[in-house]
Coordinates of all heavy atoms in Angstrom, one line a residue:
M1 N -46.3 -45.4 -40.0 CA -46.1 -44.6 -38.8 C -47.2 -44.9 -37.7 O -46.8 -45.1 -36.6 CB -46.1 -43.2 -39.2 CG -46.0 -42.2 -38.1 SD -44.2 -41.9 -38.0 CE -44.3 -40.6 -36.8
I2 N -48.5 -44.9 -38.0 CA -49.4 -45.1 -37.1 C -49.4 -46.7 -36.7 O -49.5 -47.0 -35.5 CB -50.8 -44.9 -37.7 CG1 -51.0 -43.4 -38.1 CG2 -52.0 -45.3 -36.8 CD1 -52.2 -42.9 -38.7
A3 N -49.1 -47.6 -37.6 CA -49.0 -49.0 -37.2 C -47.9 -49.2 -36.2 O -47.9 -50.0 -35.3 CB -48.8 -49.8 -38.5
T4 N -46.7 -48.5 -36.5 CA -45.6 -48.6 -35.5 C -45.9 -48.1 -34.1 O -45.5 -48.8 -33.2 CB -44.4 -47.9 -36.0 OG1 -44.2 -48.1 -37.5 CG2 -43.1 -48.0 -35.3
E5 N -46.5 -46.9 -34.0 CA -47.1 -46.5 -32.8 C -48.0 -47.4 -32.1 O -48.0 -47.6 -30.9 CB -47.7 -45.1 -32.9 CG -46.6 -44.0 -33.2 CD -47.3 -42.6 -33.4 OE1 -48.3 -42.5 -32.8 OE2 -46.6 -41.8 -34.0
L6 N -48.9 -48.0 -32.9 CA -50.0 -49.0 -32.4 C -49.2 -50.1 -31.8 O -49.6 -50.6 -30.7 CB -51.0 -49.3 -33.4 CG -52.1 -50.3 -33.0 CD1 -52.9 -49.7 -31.9 CD2 -52.8 -50.6 -34.3
V7 N -48.3 -50.6 -32.5 CA -47.5 -51.9 -32.1 C -46.7 -51.5 -30.8 O -46.7 -52.3 -29.8 CB -46.6 -52.4 -33.1 CG1 -45.6 -53.4 -32.6 CG2 -47.4 -53.0 -34.3
T8 N -46.1 -50.3 -30.8 CA -45.3 -50.0 -29.6 C -46.2 -49.8 -28.3 O -45.9 -50.3 -27.2 CB -44.6 -48.5 -29.9 OG1 -43.8 -48.7 -31.1 CG2 -43.8 -48.2 -28.6
H9 N -47.3 -49.2 -28.5 CA -48.4 -49.0 -27.4 C -48.8 -50.4 -27.0 O -49.1 -50.6 -25.7 CB -49.4 -48.1 -27.8 CG -49.1 -46.7 -27.8 ND1 -48.6 -46.0 -26.7 CD2 -49.2 -45.9 -28.8 CE1 -48.3 -44.7 -27.2 NE2 -48.7 -44.6 -28.4
T10 N -49.2 -51.3 -27.9 CA -49.6 -52.6 -27.6 C -48.6 -53.4 -26.8 O -48.8 -54.1 -25.7 CB -49.9 -53.4 -28.8 OG1 -50.9 -52.6 -29.6 CG2 -50.5 -54.8 -28.6
L11 N -47.3 -53.3 -27.2 CA -46.1 -53.9 -26.5 C -46.0 -53.4 -25.0 O -45.8 -54.1 -24.2 CB -44.9 -53.9 -27.3 CG -44.8 -54.8 -28.6 CD1 -43.5 -54.5 -29.3 CD2 -45.0 -56.1 -28.3
D12 N -46.1 -52.0 -25.0 CA -46.0 -51.4 -23.7 C -47.2 -51.9 -22.7 O -47.0 -52.2 -21.5 CB -46.1 -49.9 -23.7 CG -44.8 -49.4 -24.3 OD1 -43.8 -50.1 -24.3 OD2 -44.9 -48.3 -24.7
L13 N -48.3 -52.0 -23.3 CA -49.5 -52.5 -22.6 C -49.3 -54.0 -22.1 O -49.6 -54.3 -20.8 CB -50.8 -52.3 -23.4 CG -52.0 -52.9 -22.6 CD1 -52.4 -52.0 -21.6 CD2 -53.2 -52.9 -23.7
L14 N -48.8 -54.7 -23.0 CA -48.6 -56.3 -22.6 C -47.5 -56.3 -21.6 O -47.4 -57.2 -20.6 CB -48.3 -57.0 -23.9 CG -49.3 -57.2 -24.9 CD1 -48.7 -57.9 -26.1 CD2 -50.5 -58.1 -24.2
A15 N -46.5 -55.5 -21.6 CA -45.4 -55.4 -20.5 C -46.0 -55.0 -19.2 O -45.6 -55.6 -18.2 CB -44.3 -54.5 -21.0
N16 N -46.8 -54.1 -19.2 CA -47.5 -53.6 -18.0 C -48.3 -54.8 -17.4 O -48.4 -55.0 -16.2 CB -48.3 -52.4 -18.1 CG -47.3 -51.2 -18.3 OD1 -46.2 -51.2 -17.9 ND2 -48.0 -50.2 -19.0
V17 N -49.2 -55.4 -18.2 CA -50.0 -56.5 -17.7 C -49.2 -57.6 -17.3 O -49.6 -58.2 -16.2 CB -50.9 -56.9 -18.9 CG1 -51.7 -58.2 -18.6 CG2 -52.0 -55.7 -19.3
S18 N -48.1 -58.0 -17.9 CA -47.3 -59.1 -17.4 C -46.5 -58.8 -16.1 O -46.5 -59.7 -15.3 CB -46.3 -59.6 -18.6 OG -45.4 -58.4 -18.8
S19 N -46.2 -57.5 -15.9 CA -45.6 -57.1 -14.7 C -46.6 -57.0 -13.6 O -46.3 -57.5 -12.4 CB -44.9 -55.8 -14.8 OG -45.9 -54.7 -15.0
I20 N -47.8 -56.8 -13.8 CA -49.0 -56.8 -12.8 C -49.2 -58.2 -12.4 O -49.3 -58.6 -11.3 CB -50.2 -56.1 -13.3 CG1 -50.0 -54.6 -13.4 CG2 -51.3 -56.4 -12.4 CD1 -51.0 -53.9 -14.1
A21 N -49.2 -59.1 -13.5 CA -49.5 -60.5 -13.2 C -48.3 -61.2 -12.5 O -48.5 -62.2 -11.7 CB -49.8 -61.2 -14.6
A22 N -47.1 -60.7 -12.7 CA -46.0 -61.2 -12.0 C -45.9 -60.9 -10.4 O -45.3 -61.6 -9.7 CB -44.7 -60.8 -12.7
E23 N -46.6 -59.8 -10.1 CA -46.6 -59.6 -8.7 C -47.4 -60.5 -7.7 O -48.2 -61.3 -8.2 CB -47.3 -58.2 -8.5 CG -46.6 -57.0 -9.1 CD -47.3 -55.7 -8.9 OE1 -48.3 -55.6 -8.2 OE2 -46.8 -54.7 -9.5
E24 N -46.9 -60.7 -6.5 CA -47.4 -61.6 -5.7 C -49.0 -61.4 -5.4 O -49.3 -60.2 -5.2 CB -46.7 -61.7 -4.4 CG -45.3 -62.2 -4.5 CD -44.8 -62.4 -3.2 OE1 -45.3 -62.6 -2.2 OE2 -43.5 -62.3 -3.1
D25 N -49.8 -62.4 -5.4 CA -51.1 -62.2 -5.0 C -51.3 -62.0 -3.5 O -50.8 -62.8 -2.7 CB -52.0 -63.5 -5.4 CG -53.4 -63.3 -5.2 OD1 -53.9 -62.2 -5.3 OD2 -54.1 -64.4 -5.1
P26 N -51.9 -61.0 -3.1 CA -52.0 -60.6 -1.6 C -52.9 -61.8 -0.8 O -52.8 -61.9 0.4 CB -52.7 -59.3 -1.5 CG -53.6 -59.3 -2.8 CD -52.7 -60.0 -3.8
G27 N -53.6 -62.6 -1.5 CA -54.5 -63.7 -0.9 C -55.7 -63.2 -0.2 O -56.1 -62.0 -0.5
I28 N -56.3 -63.9 0.6 CA -57.8 -63.6 1.2 C -57.4 -63.0 2.5 O -56.6 -63.5 3.4 CB -58.5 -64.8 1.2 CG1 -58.9 -65.3 -0.1 CG2 -59.8 -64.5 1.9 CD1 -59.7 -66.6 -0.1
N29 N -58.0 -61.9 2.8 CA -57.8 -61.3 4.1 C -58.8 -61.8 5.1 O -60.0 -61.4 5.4 CB -58.3 -59.8 3.9 CG -58.0 -58.9 5.2 OD1 -57.5 -59.4 6.3 ND2 -58.4 -57.7 5.3
T30 N -58.4 -63.0 5.7 CA -59.1 -63.8 6.7 C -59.4 -62.9 7.9 O -60.5 -63.1 8.5 CB -58.4 -65.0 6.9 OG1 -57.1 -64.8 7.5 CG2 -58.3 -65.9 5.7
D31 N -58.4 -62.2 8.4 CA -58.6 -61.4 9.6 C -59.8 -60.4 9.4 O -60.6 -60.1 10.2 CB -57.4 -60.5 9.9 CG -56.3 -61.4 10.4 OD1 -56.7 -62.5 11.0 OD2 -55.1 -61.0 10.3
G32 N -59.9 -59.8 8.2 CA -61.1 -58.9 7.8 C -62.3 -59.6 7.7 O -63.4 -59.0 8.2
I33 N -62.3 -60.9 7.2 CA -63.6 -61.6 7.2 C -64.0 -61.9 8.7 O -65.1 -61.7 9.0 CB -63.3 -62.9 6.5 CG1 -63.1 -62.5 4.9 CG2 -64.6 -63.8 6.6 CD1 -62.7 -63.7 4.1
L34 N -63.1 -62.4 9.5 CA -63.5 -62.7 10.9 C -63.9 -61.5 11.7 O -64.8 -61.5 12.4 CB -62.3 -63.3 11.6 CG -61.9 -64.6 11.2 CD1 -60.6 -65.1 11.9 CD2 -62.9 -65.7 11.5
T35 N -63.3 -60.3 11.3 CA -63.7 -59.0 12.1 C -65.1 -58.7 11.6 O -65.9 -58.3 12.3 CB -62.8 -57.8 11.7 OG1 -61.4 -58.4 12.2 CG2 -63.1 -56.7 12.4
F36 N -65.4 -58.9 10.3 CA -66.7 -58.6 9.7 C -67.7 -59.4 10.5 O -68.8 -58.9 10.9 CB -66.7 -58.7 8.2 CG -68.2 -58.6 7.6 CD1 -68.7 -57.2 7.5 CD2 -68.8 -59.7 7.3 CE1 -69.9 -57.1 7.0 CE2 -70.1 -59.5 6.7 CZ -70.7 -58.2 6.6
F37 N -67.6 -60.6 10.6 CA -68.5 -61.6 11.1 C -68.7 -61.3 12.6 O -69.8 -61.3 13.1 CB -68.1 -63.0 11.0 CG -68.6 -63.7 9.7 CD1 -67.6 -63.9 8.6 CD2 -69.9 -63.9 9.4 CE1 -68.0 -64.5 7.4 CE2 -70.3 -64.3 8.1 CZ -69.4 -64.7 7.3
A38 N -67.7 -60.9 13.4 CA -67.7 -60.7 14.7 C -68.3 -59.3 15.1 O -69.1 -59.1 16.1 CB -66.4 -60.6 15.3
T39 N -68.2 -58.4 14.1 CA -68.8 -57.1 14.4 C -70.2 -56.8 13.8 O -70.9 -55.9 14.3 CB -67.8 -56.0 14.0 OG1 -67.6 -56.1 12.6 CG2 -66.6 -56.0 14.8
K40 N -70.4 -57.6 12.7 CA -71.8 -57.3 12.0 C -72.8 -58.3 12.1 O -74.0 -58.1 12.4 CB -71.4 -57.0 10.5 CG -70.4 -55.9 10.2 CD -70.9 -54.5 10.5 CE -70.1 -53.4 10.0 NZ -69.1 -52.9 10.9
I41 N -72.3 -59.6 11.8 CA -73.2 -60.7 11.7 C -73.6 -61.3 13.1 O -74.7 -61.5 13.5 CB -72.6 -61.8 10.9 CG1 -72.1 -61.3 9.4 CG2 -73.6 -63.0 10.8 CD1 -73.3 -60.8 8.7
A42 N -72.6 -61.5 14.0 CA -72.9 -62.0 15.3 C -73.8 -61.3 16.1 O -74.8 -61.9 16.7 CB -71.6 -62.3 16.1
P43 N -73.7 -60.0 16.2 CA -74.7 -59.3 17.1 C -76.1 -59.4 16.4 O -77.1 -59.4 17.1 CB -74.2 -57.7 17.0 CG -72.8 -57.8 16.6 CD -72.7 -59.1 15.9
I44 N -76.4 -59.4 15.2 CA -77.6 -59.5 14.5 C -78.2 -60.9 14.9 O -79.4 -61.0 15.2 CB -77.5 -59.3 13.0 CG1 -77.2 -57.9 12.7 CG2 -78.9 -59.8 12.4 CD1 -76.9 -57.5 11.3
L45 N -77.4 -61.9 14.8 CA -78.0 -63.4 15.1 C -78.3 -63.5 16.7 O -79.2 -64.0 17.0 CB -76.8 -64.3 14.8 CG -76.5 -64.4 13.2 CD1 -75.4 -65.6 13.1 CD2 -77.9 -64.9 12.6
L46 N -77.4 -62.8 17.5 CA -77.8 -62.8 19.0 C -79.1 -62.1 19.2 O -79.8 -62.5 20.1 CB -76.5 -62.3 19.7 CG -75.4 -63.2 19.8 CD1 -74.3 -62.5 20.4 CD2 -75.6 -64.5 20.5
A47 N -79.2 -60.9 18.5 CA -80.5 -60.1 18.8 C -81.7 -61.0 18.3 O -82.7 -61.0 18.9 CB -80.4 -58.9 18.0
A48 N -81.6 -61.7 17.2 CA -82.7 -62.5 16.7 C -83.0 -63.6 17.6 O -84.1 -64.0 18.0 CB -82.3 -63.1 15.3
L49 N -81.9 -64.3 18.3 CA -82.1 -65.3 19.3 C -82.8 -64.7 20.5 O -83.8 -65.3 21.1 CB -80.7 -65.8 19.7 CG -80.3 -67.1 18.8 CD1 -78.8 -67.4 19.4 CD2 -81.2 -68.2 18.8
G50 N -82.5 -63.5 20.9 CA -83.1 -62.9 22.0 C -84.6 -62.6 21.7 O -85.4 -62.8 22.5
V51 N -84.9 -62.2 20.5 CA -86.3 -61.9 20.2 C -87.1 -63.3 20.2 O -88.3 -63.3 20.7 CB -86.4 -61.2 18.8 CG1 -87.9 -61.2 18.4 CG2 -85.9 -59.8 18.9
I52 N -86.5 -64.3 19.7 CA -87.2 -65.6 19.8 C -87.4 -66.1 21.2 O -88.5 -66.6 21.6 CB -86.4 -66.6 18.9 CG1 -86.4 -66.3 17.4 CG2 -87.0 -68.1 19.2 CD1 -85.5 -67.1 16.6
F53 N -86.4 -66.0 22.1 CA -86.4 -66.3 23.4 C -87.5 -65.5 24.1 O -88.4 -66.1 24.9 CB -85.1 -66.2 24.2 CG -84.1 -67.3 23.7 CD1 -82.8 -67.1 23.9 CD2 -84.4 -68.3 22.9 CE1 -81.8 -67.9 23.6 CE2 -83.5 -69.2 22.4 CZ -82.2 -69.1 22.8
I54 N -87.6 -64.2 24.0 CA -88.7 -63.3 24.6 C -90.1 -63.8 24.1 O -91.0 -63.9 24.8 CB -88.3 -61.9 24.3 CG1 -87.1 -61.5 25.1 CG2 -89.6 -61.1 24.6 CD1 -86.6 -60.1 24.7
G55 N -90.1 -64.1 22.8 CA -91.5 -64.5 22.2 C -91.9 -65.9 22.9 O -93.1 -66.0 23.3
R56 N -91.0 -66.8 23.0 CA -91.4 -68.0 23.7 C -91.8 -67.9 25.1 O -92.7 -68.5 25.7 CB -90.2 -69.0 23.5 CG -90.2 -69.7 22.2 CD -89.1 -70.8 22.3 NE -89.2 -71.8 21.1 CZ -88.3 -72.6 21.0 NH1 -87.3 -72.9 21.9 NH2 -88.4 -73.4 19.9
A57 N -90.9 -67.0 25.8 CA -91.3 -66.8 27.2 C -92.6 -66.2 27.5 O -93.2 -66.4 28.5 CB -90.1 -65.9 27.8
S58 N -92.9 -65.2 26.5 CA -94.3 -64.6 26.7 C -95.4 -65.6 26.5 O -96.5 -65.4 26.9 CB -94.4 -63.4 25.7 OG -94.4 -63.9 24.4
K59 N -95.2 -66.8 25.9 CA -96.2 -67.7 25.5 C -96.2 -68.8 26.7 O -97.0 -69.6 26.8 CB -96.0 -68.5 24.2 CG -96.1 -67.7 23.1 CD -95.8 -68.5 21.7 CE -95.8 -67.7 20.5 NZ -95.5 -68.5 19.4
G60 N -95.3 -68.7 27.7 CA -95.2 -69.5 28.9 C -94.3 -70.7 28.7 O -94.5 -71.7 29.5
E61 N -93.6 -70.8 27.6 CA -92.7 -71.8 27.3 C -91.3 -71.7 28.0 O -90.3 -71.7 27.3 CB -92.6 -72.2 25.9 CG -93.9 -72.4 25.2 CD -93.8 -72.5 23.7 OE1 -92.6 -72.3 23.1 OE2 -94.8 -72.7 23.0
I62 N -91.4 -71.5 29.3 CA -90.1 -71.2 30.1 C -89.0 -72.4 29.9 O -87.8 -72.1 29.7 CB -90.4 -70.8 31.5 CG1 -91.3 -69.7 31.7 CG2 -89.1 -70.5 32.3 CD1 -90.8 -68.4 31.0
S63 N -89.5 -73.5 30.0 CA -88.6 -74.6 29.9 C -87.9 -74.8 28.6 O -86.6 -75.0 28.5 CB -89.3 -76.0 30.2 OG -90.3 -76.2 29.2
K64 N -88.7 -74.4 27.5 CA -88.0 -74.4 26.2 C -87.0 -73.3 26.1 O -86.0 -73.4 25.4 CB -89.1 -74.4 25.0 CG -89.9 -75.6 24.9 CD -90.9 -75.5 23.7 CE -91.6 -76.8 23.6 NZ -92.6 -76.7 22.5
V65 N -87.3 -72.2 26.7 CA -86.4 -71.0 26.6 C -85.2 -71.3 27.3 O -84.1 -71.1 26.9 CB -87.2 -69.8 27.2 CG1 -86.2 -68.7 27.3 CG2 -88.3 -69.3 26.2
L66 N -85.3 -71.9 28.5 CA -84.0 -72.3 29.1 C -83.2 -73.3 28.5 O -82.0 -73.2 28.5 CB -84.5 -72.8 30.7 CG -85.1 -71.8 31.6 CD1 -85.6 -72.4 32.9 CD2 -84.1 -70.7 31.9
T67 N -83.9 -74.3 27.9 CA -83.1 -75.2 27.1 C -82.5 -74.7 25.9 O -81.3 -74.9 25.8 CB -84.1 -76.4 26.6 OG1 -84.8 -77.0 27.7 CG2 -83.3 -77.5 25.8
S68 N -83.2 -73.9 25.3 CA -82.4 -73.1 24.1 C -81.5 -72.2 24.5 O -80.3 -72.1 23.8 CB -83.6 -72.4 23.2 OG -84.7 -73.2 22.8
S69 N -81.7 -71.5 25.6 CA -80.5 -70.6 26.1 C -79.3 -71.5 26.6 O -78.2 -71.0 26.2 CB -81.1 -69.9 27.4 OG -82.1 -69.0 27.0
A70 N -79.5 -72.6 27.1 CA -78.4 -73.5 27.6 C -77.7 -73.9 26.3 O -76.4 -73.9 26.3 CB -78.9 -74.6 28.4
I71 N -78.4 -74.3 25.3 CA -77.8 -74.8 24.0 C -77.0 -73.6 23.4 O -75.8 -73.9 22.9 CB -78.8 -75.4 23.1 CG1 -79.4 -76.7 23.6 CG2 -78.3 -75.6 21.7 CD1 -80.6 -77.2 22.9
A72 N -77.5 -72.4 23.3 CA -76.8 -71.3 22.8 C -75.5 -71.0 23.6 O -74.6 -70.8 22.9 CB -77.7 -70.1 22.8
I73 N -75.7 -71.1 24.9 CA -74.4 -70.8 25.7 C -73.3 -71.9 25.5 O -72.1 -71.6 25.4 CB -74.8 -70.7 27.2 CG1 -75.7 -69.5 27.4 CG2 -73.6 -70.7 28.2 CD1 -76.3 -69.3 28.8
V74 N -73.7 -73.2 25.4 CA -72.8 -74.2 25.1 C -72.2 -73.9 23.8 O -71.1 -74.2 23.4 CB -73.5 -75.6 25.2 CG1 -72.5 -76.7 24.6 CG2 -73.7 -75.8 26.7
G75 N -72.9 -73.6 22.7 CA -72.5 -73.3 21.5 C -71.5 -72.1 21.5 O -70.4 -72.2 20.8
L76 N -71.7 -71.0 22.2 CA -70.8 -69.9 22.3 C -69.5 -70.4 22.9 O -68.4 -70.0 22.7 CB -71.4 -68.8 23.1 CG -72.5 -68.1 22.3 CD1 -73.2 -67.1 23.3 CD2 -71.9 -67.4 21.1
A77 N -69.6 -71.3 24.0 CA -68.4 -71.8 24.6 C -67.5 -72.7 23.7 O -66.4 -72.6 23.6 CB -68.8 -72.7 25.7
F78 N -68.2 -73.5 22.8 CA -67.5 -74.2 21.7 C -66.7 -73.2 20.8 O -65.6 -73.4 20.4 CB -68.3 -75.0 20.9 CG -68.5 -76.5 21.6 CD1 -69.8 -76.7 22.1 CD2 -67.5 -77.4 21.7 CE1 -70.0 -78.0 22.8 CE2 -67.7 -78.6 22.3 CZ -68.9 -78.9 22.9
I79 N -67.4 -72.2 20.4 CA -66.9 -71.2 19.4 C -65.7 -70.5 20.2 O -64.6 -70.3 19.6 CB -67.9 -70.2 19.0 CG1 -68.8 -70.8 18.1 CG2 -67.3 -68.9 18.2 CD1 -70.1 -69.9 17.8
A80 N -65.9 -70.1 21.4 CA -64.7 -69.5 22.1 C -63.5 -70.4 22.4 O -62.4 -70.1 22.3 CB -65.2 -69.1 23.6
G81 N -63.9 -71.8 22.6 CA -62.8 -72.8 22.7 C -62.0 -73.0 21.5 O -60.8 -73.1 21.4
A82 N -62.7 -72.9 20.3 CA -62.0 -73.1 19.0 C -61.1 -71.9 18.7 O -60.1 -72.1 18.3 CB -63.2 -73.1 18.0
A83 N -61.7 -70.6 19.1 CA -60.8 -69.5 18.9 C -59.6 -69.6 19.8 O -58.5 -69.3 19.4 CB -61.5 -68.2 19.2
T84 N -59.8 -70.1 21.0 CA -58.7 -70.2 21.9 C -57.6 -71.4 21.3 O -56.4 -71.1 21.5 CB -59.0 -70.7 23.3 OG1 -60.1 -69.7 23.8 CG2 -58.0 -70.8 24.3
M85 N -58.1 -72.4 20.9 CA -57.2 -73.3 20.3 C -56.4 -72.8 19.1 O -55.3 -73.0 18.9 CB -57.9 -74.6 19.9 CG -58.6 -75.3 21.1 SD -57.3 -75.8 22.4 CE -56.7 -77.2 21.8
F86 N -57.2 -71.9 18.4 CA -56.5 -71.4 17.2 C -55.4 -70.5 17.6 O -54.2 -70.5 17.1 CB -57.5 -70.6 16.4 CG -56.9 -69.9 15.2 CD1 -56.5 -70.5 14.0 CD2 -56.8 -68.5 15.2 CE1 -56.1 -69.9 13.0 CE2 -56.4 -67.9 14.2 CZ -55.8 -68.5 13.0
L87 N -55.6 -69.7 18.7 CA -54.5 -68.6 19.2 C -53.5 -69.5 19.9 O -52.3 -69.2 19.7 CB -55.2 -67.7 20.2 CG -56.2 -66.7 19.5 CD1 -56.8 -65.9 20.6 CD2 -55.5 -65.9 18.5
L88 N -53.8 -70.5 20.6 CA -52.8 -71.4 21.3 C -51.9 -72.1 20.2 O -50.7 -72.2 20.3 CB -53.4 -72.4 22.1 CG -52.6 -73.4 23.0 CD1 -51.6 -72.6 23.9 CD2 -53.3 -74.5 23.5
G89 N -52.5 -72.6 19.1 CA -51.7 -73.3 18.1 C -50.8 -72.3 17.4 O -49.7 -72.6 17.1
D90 N -51.3 -71.0 17.2 CA -50.5 -70.1 16.5 C -49.4 -69.6 17.4 O -48.2 -69.5 17.0 CB -51.4 -68.8 16.2 CG -50.6 -67.8 15.3 OD1 -49.9 -68.2 14.5 OD2 -50.8 -66.6 15.7
Y91 N -49.6 -69.6 18.7 CA -48.5 -69.3 19.7 C -47.5 -70.3 19.6 O -46.2 -70.2 19.6 CB -49.0 -69.0 21.0 CG -48.0 -69.0 22.0 CD1 -47.3 -67.8 22.2 CD2 -47.8 -70.0 23.0 CE1 -46.3 -67.7 23.2 CE2 -46.9 -69.9 24.0 CZ -46.1 -68.8 24.1 OH -45.2 -68.6 25.1
L92 N -47.9 -71.7 19.6 CA -47.0 -72.8 19.7 C -46.1 -72.9 18.4 O -44.9 -73.1 18.4 CB -47.7 -74.1 19.9 CG -48.4 -74.3 21.3 CD1 -49.2 -75.5 21.4 CD2 -47.2 -74.3 22.4
I93 N -46.8 -72.6 17.4 CA -46.1 -72.6 16.0 C -44.9 -71.6 16.0 O -43.9 -71.8 15.6 CB -47.0 -72.5 14.8 CG1 -47.8 -73.8 14.6 CG2 -46.2 -72.2 13.6 CD1 -48.9 -73.7 13.8
N94 N -45.3 -70.3 16.5 CA -44.4 -69.3 16.5 C -43.3 -69.5 17.5 O -42.1 -69.2 17.3 CB -45.1 -68.0 16.8 CG -45.9 -67.4 15.7 OD1 -45.7 -67.7 14.5 ND2 -47.0 -66.6 16.0
L95 N -43.6 -70.2 18.6 CA -42.6 -70.6 19.6 C -41.6 -71.6 19.1 O -40.4 -71.5 19.4 CB -43.3 -71.1 20.8 CG -42.4 -71.4 22.1 CD1 -41.7 -70.1 22.7 CD2 -43.2 -72.0 23.2
I96 N -42.1 -72.5 18.4 CA -41.3 -73.6 17.9 C -40.3 -73.2 16.7 O -39.1 -73.5 16.6 CB -42.2 -74.9 17.5 CG1 -42.7 -75.5 18.8 CG2 -41.3 -76.0 16.8 CD1 -43.7 -76.6 18.5
F97 N -40.9 -72.5 15.8 CA -40.3 -72.1 14.5 C -39.5 -70.8 14.5 O -39.0 -70.5 13.4 CB -41.2 -72.4 13.4 CG -41.7 -73.7 13.1 CD1 -43.0 -74.0 13.3 CD2 -40.9 -74.6 12.6 CE1 -43.4 -75.4 13.2 CE2 -41.1 -76.0 12.4 CZ -42.5 -76.3 12.7
E98 N -39.3 -70.2 15.6 CA -38.7 -69.0 15.5 C -37.3 -69.2 16.1 O -36.8 -70.0 16.8 CB -39.4 -67.9 16.4 CG -40.5 -67.3 15.7 CD -41.2 -66.1 16.4 OE1 -40.8 -65.8 17.5 OE2 -42.2 -65.6 15.8

């Protein structure tokens, strides 16, 4: 009697596990990852750059600050360009395949 119930419960458990495994995997939430980086990580990095630039400027290294600022601005432009190309590519794919 106890062995029969144990086997029944085990089979029910295995059926539930197999039905859970058969469901589709939702994948990685890339939008959530991008949002996290854009809202949490990027402002911290920009604040750190600002502190470094202010520290250099107070030492009289204005030319190095201007050079570093220009490099940072060019880097941000490349990032914005990459995001634009990603959105443009997504738009073109949706336009062609719909």
Side-chain angles (χ1 to χ4, degrees):
M1 178 88 174
I2 295 175
T4 310
E5 289 181 22
L6 182 63
V7 169
T8 304
H9 288 298
T10 304
L11 291 176
D12 289 340
L13 178 65
L14 289 174
N16 288 336
V17 169
S18 64
S19 67
I20 290 171
E23 293 179 5
E24 290 185 28
D25 185 29
I28 296 173
N29 184 6
T30 55
D31 291 333
I33 293 171
L34 290 174
T35 303
F36 174 77
F37 277 109
T39 59
K40 304 289 191 272
I41 304 299
I44 293 170
L45 293 176
L46 289 175
L49 280 175
V51 169
I52 291 169
F53 292 163
I54 290 170
R56 278 187 171 177
S58 67
K59 293 179 185 177
E61 300 176 0
I62 301 299
S63 64
K64 288 184 180 179
V65 170
L66 291 176
T67 303
S68 298
S69 298
I71 291 170
I73 290 170
V74 169
L76 289 173
F78 275 111
I79 292 170
T84 303
M85 295 306 276
F86 177 74
L87 294 174
L88 178 67
D90 188 40
Y91 172 74
L92 289 175
I93 288 172
N94 288 334
L95 185 66
I96 291 171
F97 292 110
E98 284 187 356

